Amino acid sequence: MTIKDIDQEELRHNVVASARAARVLGVPVILTSTAPDIFGPTLPELTEALPDIENIERTIINAWEDPKVRQAIKETGRRKILFSALTTHVCLAFPSMSAAGEGYDSYALLDSSGTWNETLRVSAIAQMQQAGVIISSGLAAFIEMVHDNANPIAPKVYAALDLPGGKSLSQLLNGRT
């Protein structure tokens, strides 16, 4: 089966854009993959966007349960975690719910994940919400971090997000028309 609830090119775009925006904003990024021999390699565009980030290859399905992943998260010192994952109903839901259960502010970025059908999508969102996960998107999360369009970093974040109409938005923020 393949991702069907979001266009696959849009999903690729959103995942890479979120990674780039995180880098611009100085947000720590932890990259993991599970069983690449079974599910395939990490998106080449993503590894290109994160050239100095080690990809933690794991066999454990719930990334939160992998000791290397937990250590990497702990080392960031952050209590707010943005989760992005290939499949909404497993790779996104499981670790985001586990983190919320341990008192982290856990955000599930729905524009950077997908699933096979509407039932899986809706049930995963309901489970995450019941577990205290904040449902969001990379687009909303990173724009919220900008906070003020007068912030000098705003045009860089918008460029990293590669928004439709983003060029004109960046031009407006830079005082050009």
PDB file of all heavy atoms in Angstrom, residues 145-160:
ATOM      1  N   MET A 145       6.513  30.104  15.064  1.00  0.00           N
ATOM      2  CA  MET A 145       7.840  30.392  15.633  1.00  0.00           C
ATOM      3  C   MET A 145       8.394  31.715  15.133  1.00  0.00           C
ATOM      4  O   MET A 145       9.130  32.385  15.848  1.00  0.00           O
ATOM      5  CB  MET A 145       8.810  29.262  15.303  1.00  0.00           C
ATOM      6  CG  MET A 145       8.579  28.025  16.115  1.00  0.00           C
ATOM      7  SD  MET A 145       9.812  26.786  15.676  1.00  0.00           S
ATOM      8  CE  MET A 145       8.829  25.313  15.742  1.00  0.00           C
ATOM      9  N   VAL A 146       8.043  32.094  13.907  1.00  0.00           N
ATOM     10  CA  VAL A 146       8.476  33.392  13.377  1.00  0.00           C
ATOM     11  C   VAL A 146       7.865  34.498  14.228  1.00  0.00           C
ATOM     12  O   VAL A 146       8.527  35.481  14.553  1.00  0.00           O
ATOM     13  CB  VAL A 146       8.091  33.549  11.890  1.00  0.00           C
ATOM     14  CG1 VAL A 146       8.277  34.987  11.418  1.00  0.00           C
ATOM     15  CG2 VAL A 146       8.884  32.587  11.022  1.00  0.00           C
ATOM     16  N   HIS A 147       6.607  34.357  14.572  1.00  0.00           N
ATOM     17  CA  HIS A 147       5.850  35.218  15.467  1.00  0.00           C
ATOM     18  C   HIS A 147       5.521  36.597  14.892  1.00  0.00           C
ATOM     19  O   HIS A 147       4.434  37.105  15.079  1.00  0.00           O
ATOM     20  CB  HIS A 147       6.566  35.372  16.814  1.00  0.00           C
ATOM     21  CG  HIS A 147       5.811  36.199  17.807  1.00  0.00           C
ATOM     22  ND1 HIS A 147       4.645  35.773  18.383  1.00  0.00           N
ATOM     23  CD2 HIS A 147       6.042  37.442  18.296  1.00  0.00           C
ATOM     24  CE1 HIS A 147       4.196  36.710  19.199  1.00  0.00           C
ATOM     25  NE2 HIS A 147       5.018  37.730  19.172  1.00  0.00           N
ATOM     26  N   ASP A 148       6.480  37.219  14.253  1.00  0.00           N
ATOM     27  CA  ASP A 148       6.282  38.591  13.776  1.00  0.00           C
ATOM     28  C   ASP A 148       6.956  38.693  12.402  1.00  0.00           C
ATOM     29  O   ASP A 148       8.143  38.403  12.271  1.00  0.00           O
ATOM     30  CB  ASP A 148       6.932  39.564  14.760  1.00  0.00           C
ATOM     31  CG  ASP A 148       6.701  41.016  14.419  1.00  0.00           C
ATOM     32  OD1 ASP A 148       6.334  41.338  13.263  1.00  0.00           O
ATOM     33  OD2 ASP A 148       6.915  41.860  15.311  1.00  0.00           O
ATOM     34  N   ASN A 149       6.214  39.131  11.405  1.00  0.00           N
ATOM     35  CA  ASN A 149       6.792  39.242  10.072  1.00  0.00           C
ATOM     36  C   ASN A 149       7.872  40.305   9.976  1.00  0.00           C
ATOM     37  O   ASN A 149       8.600  40.355   8.991  1.00  0.00           O
ATOM     38  CB  ASN A 149       5.701  39.482   9.030  1.00  0.00           C
ATOM     39  CG  ASN A 149       4.926  38.217   8.746  1.00  0.00           C
ATOM     40  OD1 ASN A 149       5.487  37.126   8.726  1.00  0.00           O
ATOM     41  ND2 ASN A 149       3.635  38.348   8.538  1.00  0.00           N
ATOM     42  N   ALA A 150       8.007  41.139  11.012  1.00  0.00           N
ATOM     43  CA  ALA A 150       9.110  42.093  11.057  1.00  0.00           C
ATOM     44  C   ALA A 150      10.407  41.413  11.513  1.00  0.00           C
ATOM     45  O   ALA A 150      11.486  41.991  11.397  1.00  0.00           O
ATOM     46  CB  ALA A 150       8.782  43.250  11.997  1.00  0.00           C
ATOM     47  N   ASN A 151      10.289  40.188  11.995  1.00  0.00           N
ATOM     48  CA  ASN A 151      11.459  39.412  12.410  1.00  0.00           C
ATOM     49  C   ASN A 151      12.343  39.203  11.173  1.00  0.00           C
ATOM     50  O   ASN A 151      11.869  38.720  10.147  1.00  0.00           O
ATOM     51  CB  ASN A 151      10.989  38.070  12.973  1.00  0.00           C
ATOM     52  CG  ASN A 151      12.101  37.218  13.526  1.00  0.00           C
ATOM     53  OD1 ASN A 151      13.264  37.356  13.153  1.00  0.00           O
ATOM     54  ND2 ASN A 151      11.733  36.310  14.420  1.00  0.00           N
ATOM     55  N   PRO A 152      13.616  39.560  11.252  1.00  0.00           N
ATOM     56  CA  PRO A 152      14.497  39.434  10.086  1.00  0.00           C
ATOM     57  C   PRO A 152      14.600  38.008   9.527  1.00  0.00           C
ATOM     58  O   PRO A 152      14.928  37.823   8.364  1.00  0.00           O
ATOM     59  CB  PRO A 152      15.859  39.903  10.594  1.00  0.00           C
ATOM     60  CG  PRO A 152      15.586  40.670  11.829  1.00  0.00           C
ATOM     61  CD  PRO A 152      14.293  40.157  12.396  1.00  0.00           C
ATOM     62  N   ILE A 153      14.270  37.025  10.341  1.00  0.00           N
ATOM     63  CA  ILE A 153      14.370  35.638   9.873  1.00  0.00           C
ATOM     64  C   ILE A 153      13.136  35.214   9.069  1.00  0.00           C
ATOM     65  O   ILE A 153      13.166  34.203   8.365  1.00  0.00           O
ATOM     66  CB  ILE A 153      14.621  34.681  11.061  1.00  0.00           C
ATOM     67  CG1 ILE A 153      15.287  33.417  10.568  1.00  0.00           C
ATOM     68  CG2 ILE A 153      13.340  34.361  11.815  1.00  0.00           C
ATOM     69  CD1 ILE A 153      15.923  32.593  11.647  1.00  0.00           C
ATOM     70  N   ALA A 154      12.043  36.000   9.143  1.00  0.00           N
ATOM     71  CA  ALA A 154      10.791  35.625   8.478  1.00  0.00           C
ATOM     72  C   ALA A 154      10.970  35.291   6.995  1.00  0.00           C
ATOM     73  O   ALA A 154      10.515  34.227   6.545  1.00  0.00           O
ATOM     74  CB  ALA A 154       9.736  36.710   8.668  1.00  0.00           C
ATOM     75  N   PRO A 155      11.627  36.144   6.198  1.00  0.00           N
ATOM     76  CA  PRO A 155      11.771  35.801   4.776  1.00  0.00           C
ATOM     77  C   PRO A 155      12.533  34.488   4.549  1.00  0.00           C
ATOM     78  O   PRO A 155      12.211  33.739   3.626  1.00  0.00           O
ATOM     79  CB  PRO A 155      12.546  36.985   4.186  1.00  0.00           C
ATOM     80  CG  PRO A 155      12.288  38.113   5.123  1.00  0.00           C
ATOM     81  CD  PRO A 155      12.159  37.487   6.482  1.00  0.00           C
ATOM     82  N   LYS A 156      13.499  34.209   5.394  1.00  0.00           N
ATOM     83  CA  LYS A 156      14.263  32.952   5.261  1.00  0.00           C
ATOM     84  C   LYS A 156      13.391  31.742   5.577  1.00  0.00           C
ATOM     85  O   LYS A 156      13.490  30.706   4.922  1.00  0.00           O
ATOM     86  CB  LYS A 156      15.487  32.978   6.174  1.00  0.00           C
ATOM     87  CG  LYS A 156      16.512  34.003   5.781  1.00  0.00           C
ATOM     88  CD  LYS A 156      17.650  34.028   6.768  1.00  0.00           C
ATOM     89  CE  LYS A 156      18.602  35.177   6.433  1.00  0.00           C
ATOM     90  NZ  LYS A 156      19.612  35.361   7.454  1.00  0.00           N
ATOM     91  N   VAL A 157      12.537  31.886   6.583  1.00  0.00           N
ATOM     92  CA  VAL A 157      11.634  30.780   6.931  1.00  0.00           C
ATOM     93  C   VAL A 157      10.630  30.557   5.814  1.00  0.00           C
ATOM     94  O   VAL A 157      10.395  29.426   5.390  1.00  0.00           O
ATOM     95  CB  VAL A 157      10.928  31.032   8.279  1.00  0.00           C
ATOM     96  CG1 VAL A 157       9.862  29.976   8.549  1.00  0.00           C
ATOM     97  CG2 VAL A 157      11.942  31.080   9.412  1.00  0.00           C
ATOM     98  N   TYR A 158      10.048  31.644   5.300  1.00  0.00           N
ATOM     99  CA  TYR A 158       9.086  31.503   4.208  1.00  0.00           C
ATOM    100  C   TYR A 158       9.746  30.898   2.969  1.00  0.00           C
ATOM    101  O   TYR A 158       9.147  30.076   2.276  1.00  0.00           O
ATOM    102  CB  TYR A 158       8.423  32.841   3.881  1.00  0.00           C
ATOM    103  CG  TYR A 158       7.498  33.315   4.988  1.00  0.00           C
ATOM    104  CD1 TYR A 158       7.617  34.592   5.511  1.00  0.00           C
ATOM    105  CD2 TYR A 158       6.523  32.482   5.513  1.00  0.00           C
ATOM    106  CE1 TYR A 158       6.778  35.032   6.524  1.00  0.00           C
ATOM    107  CE2 TYR A 158       5.678  32.916   6.528  1.00  0.00           C
ATOM    108  CZ  TYR A 158       5.815  34.177   7.030  1.00  0.00           C
ATOM    109  OH  TYR A 158       4.982  34.605   8.027  1.00  0.00           O
ATOM    110  N   ALA A 159      10.976  31.290   2.701  1.00  0.00           N
ATOM    111  CA  ALA A 159      11.694  30.705   1.560  1.00  0.00           C
ATOM    112  C   ALA A 159      11.943  29.217   1.801  1.00  0.00           C
ATOM    113  O   ALA A 159      11.800  28.400   0.890  1.00  0.00           O
ATOM    114  CB  ALA A 159      13.009  31.440   1.328  1.00  0.00           C
ATOM    115  N   ALA A 160      12.305  28.849   3.026  1.00  0.00           N
ATOM    116  CA  ALA A 160      12.545  27.439   3.352  1.00  0.00           C
ATOM    117  C   ALA A 160      11.265  26.623   3.210  1.00  0.00           C
ATOM    118  O   ALA A 160      11.292  25.478   2.749  1.00  0.00           O
ATOM    119  CB  ALA A 160      13.100  27.307   4.765  1.00  0.00           C
TER     120      ALA A 160
END
